[in-house]
Amino acid sequence: MNVLLIGGGGREHALAWKIAQSPLLTKMFAIPGSPGIAEFAECVANISIADNAALVTFARQNAIDLAVIGPEAPLVNGLVDALNDAGIKAFGANKDAAQIEGSKIFAKRLMKKYGIPTAAFEVFDKPDDAKAYIKSQGAPIVIKADGLAAGKGVIVAQTLDEAVNAVDEMKTFGAAGSKIVVEEFMDGEEASVLALTDGETIIPLIAAQDHKRVDDGDKGLNTGGMGAYAPAPIVDAEVSAQVSERILKPTIAALKSEGITYRGCLYAGLMIQNGAAKVVEFNCRFGDPETQVVLPLMEGDLLELMEACADGTLSGKSVSWRESSAVCVIMASGGYPKAYKKNLPIDGVTKAKSLGAMIFHAGTKLSGGELVTSGGRVLGVTTTAPTLREAVDKAYRCVEVIHFDDVHYRRDIAARALK
Ligand code: AMP
Ligand code: GLY
C-alpha cells in the first residue's frame, strides 16, 4: 500500500513509526512531515494541509491507497470527504463527524440528547447573558469558545472574577469565540481513551493520561500536552467497561442516528471521580502526546486496522498490548504556550536514542544540516519498560542528555500513578 500521512507533529511521527512496521506498506509520503518522520517517509513540504484540492491531486499522482490524517484542522476542513469523492480511501473522521471536536456545542448537544455523561452546560452568544448565568452559578466554573482554538479556548475559572474576565477573553478567539459554552466544573482525575472505529465496530485502545498544564504539580497554563503515560491505572477494568458501554458505543450510535458514520479515531477526554467517568471533550483524531505512549505498547499491524476503519471492515479485528508501561516527556521551548524562541540547536538526540529512548519530533527542523527547534513542543522522549517506575526513570535519563537553550519540561510526568 502507498500511504499518505498528513501532519508533522509528535503524534504523526509516532504514527509513521508504527505504520512503517506494517508488512502491507509499500511507500509512505508525509505532508509536511518532519526531520523525524523523514526516516520513514518521503516528506513533501510545499503543499498546505489546508489545501484539499492540492492534497487530492498529490494523492492521485502518487497512487495513494490510504491517506492517514493526523491533525483536527484538515478533518474539520473536509479533507476526508474530498479524498473519498475522488475515490481515495482515508483514515479519519469526515467533515460531519469531525464536528464532534470542531464544535463544542455540537458535541455537548449530542451528549445531552443521547444521555452520554458529561458536565451540565449552557450556550450563549451574548457575553452579558453568559456573565449573568455565571453569577447565578458561582465558581469554579468553566468557560469555552465554541470552535477550534488550538487547545487554548478553555478557561477553568476558580473565581467569579476570573470567569467574567474569561467571557471577555473569548473575543480573542475570533469566530471560534463568537459563541460561548459555560460548563459545570468537574472534579476528578483525567484520562484519555482513544478508539478505532469504522462507525459500527469500536476498538478502544489502552488508556493514557496526558499532563495538560505547563508546570509541575498541574500548575500554569494549559498546553497541548506536556507528557503522557500508559496504561493509566485510573482506567481500571470497571472504568474501561463503563467507557465502552456508556460513552464510546452510545456516541458512535448517536452519531449514526444523526446520519453520521464516524470512521477513524475517536478520542474521549474523560474526568473520572469515584469510579465514574464523564466526558470532558471529544476529539476527532489521535491525541498528542497520548499517541506517543499508546502506539509503542500496541502489538500488531496498525495500518491493517486503519484500512479496516476506512473500509468498514473492522468487525472481528482486535488489538493486543505489550505487558509494559510507556512514558513520554515533552521537551518544550521555554515560554510555551506563550511566545518562545525558535531555531535553537538541539544536541543529544543520538545519545538519548542509544540509551533506549524513542525520540518523536514535535517541532524541529533542519537548518544547514543541523537539527533546530521550530515549535512550542519540540521533542517527545518516549521510553517503555516492564514497570512504570522503570519507564519514568529511563525517560528522564534520556531527557537529561538532550539539550537546547531555554528547554522546559515537566519533572513529574506519571508521578500521580506512581504514588
Ligand atoms: P478541553 O479543551 O475541553 O479538553 O479542555 C481543556 C482542559 O480544561 C481539560 O483537559 C480539563 O483539564 C479542563 N476542563 C475542561 N472542561 C472542564 C470541566 N467541565 N471541568 C473541569 N475541568 C475542565
Ligand atoms: N493531548 C491532548 C490532545 O491531543 O488534544
Side-chain angles (χ1 to χ4, degrees):
M1 275 164 77
N2 290 332
V3 171
L4 170 60
L5 175 64
I6 303 294
R11 163 184 52 212
E12 288 78 20
H13 190 177
L15 286 166
W17 168 80
K18 187 70 181 160
I19 291 168
Q21 294 164 32
S22 170
L24 298 174
L25 182 69
T26 312
K27 170 150 188 169
M28 185 160 27
F29 297 88
I31 299 178
S34 71
I37 292 171
E39 187 183 334
F40 307 106
E42 183 177 323
C43 297
V44 178
N46 62 356
I47 299 176
S48 161
I49 66 167
D51 188 343
N52 289 353
L55 294 167
V56 167
T57 302
F58 180 91
R60 275 218 183 99
Q61 283 168 348
N62 292 283
I64 295 302
D65 299 298
L66 184 71
V68 174
I69 290 91
E72 60 278 16
L75 295 168
V76 172
N77 192 28
L79 176 56
V80 168
D81 311 64
L83 288 163
N84 289 347
D85 287 347
I88 299 155
K89 276 198 279 197
F91 175 89
N94 65 20
K95 187 172 183 166
D96 287 343
Q99 290 179 86
I100 203 152
E101 173 167 7
S103 167
K104 302 246 184 232
I105 295 174
F106 173 86
K108 294 296 292 186
R109 289 192 173 143
L110 186 84
M111 287 187 269
K112 189 171 181 182
K113 181 168 171 189
Y114 292 91
I116 296 154
T118 189
F121 71 101
E122 294 291 337
V123 178
F124 300 93
D125 49 21
K126 294 199 188 75
D128 285 344
D129 294 347
K131 289 178 189 173
Y133 175 74
I134 287 167
K135 285 177 188 151
S136 76
Q137 295 296 305
I141 194 159
V142 182
I143 310 0
K144 300 186 175 184
D146 177 42
L148 290 181
K152 288 162 200 156
V154 174
I155 295 171
V156 180
Q158 297 301 335
T159 65
L160 275 182
D161 276 352
E162 249 181 88
V164 166
N165 290 336
V167 171
D168 293 325
E169 259 181 67
M170 290 296 139
K171 286 182 209 126
T172 61
F173 298 114
S178 65
K179 284 205 169 111
I180 302 165
V181 180
V182 180
E183 254 186 46
E184 168 201 0
F185 171 80
M186 295 185 286
D187 210 354
E189 190 171 332
E190 285 184 73
S192 311
V193 173
L194 316 181
L196 302 178
T197 179
D198 63 357
E200 292 284 342
T201 301
I202 302 167
I203 302 182
L205 307 183
I206 204 165
Q209 192 169 61
D210 185 11
H211 298 63
K212 292 225 160 113
R213 302 297 191 103
V214 71
D215 291 321
D216 286 5
D218 295 328
K219 301 275 191 314
L221 295 172
N222 258 331
T223 69
M226 292 299 292
Y229 65 94
I234 180 89
V235 183
D236 59 16
E238 254 168 66
V239 173
S240 181
Q242 196 189 112
V243 170
S244 281
E245 296 308 316
R246 299 212 197 136
I247 294 173
L248 297 173
K249 283 185 194 168
T251 300
I252 296 299
L255 287 163
K256 206 173 159 193
S257 305
E258 300 289 318
I260 297 172
T261 304
Y262 193 106
R263 289 185 167 163
C265 179
L266 177 65
Y267 166 134
L270 307 167
M271 189 69 81
I272 298 156
Q273 193 182 35
N274 302 327
K278 288 187 184 175
V279 177
V280 177
E281 61 163 349
F282 282 119
N283 292 319
C284 61
R285 48 159 177 92
F286 285 97
D288 195 0
E290 289 92 331
T291 304
Q292 300 181 52
V293 290
V294 169
L295 295 185
L297 298 176
M298 183 194 266
E299 284 176 340
D301 190 340
L302 177 64
L303 185 54
E304 185 190 329
L305 293 170
M306 286 177 148
E307 189 183 31
C309 289
D311 284 339
T313 56
L314 199 59
S315 170
K317 301 215 187 300
S318 62
V319 177
S320 56
W321 299 97
R322 289 170 53 193
E323 290 283 326
S324 296
S325 290
V327 174
C328 172
V329 178
I330 297 294
M331 301 187 73
S333 299
Y336 172 76
K338 294 201 163 162
Y340 51 82
K341 288 186 201 151
K342 291 186 183 180
N343 298 308
L344 302 170
I346 304 168
D347 293 322
V349 168
T350 309
K351 177 86 193 291
K353 283 187 187 166
S354 75
L355 295 176
M358 282 179 279
I359 309 294
F360 295 122
H361 293 228
T364 72
K365 66 176 187 189
L366 289 173
S367 171
E370 188 182 33
L371 193 66
V372 299
T373 65
S374 74
R377 294 190 287 181
V378 177
L379 298 171
V381 177
T382 295
T383 57
T384 61
T387 66
L388 185 61
R389 174 85 264 165
E390 289 166 277
V392 168
D393 291 345
K394 188 165 147 190
Y396 281 105
R397 279 200 299 278
C398 296
V399 163
E400 274 156 25
V401 303
I402 296 176
H403 176 79
F404 51 87
D405 284 350
D406 296 346
V407 61
H408 171 73
Y409 58 88
R410 279 183 61 162
R411 284 152 216 270
D412 64 347
I413 300 304
R416 193 180 269 135
L418 291 174
K419 258 197 241 147

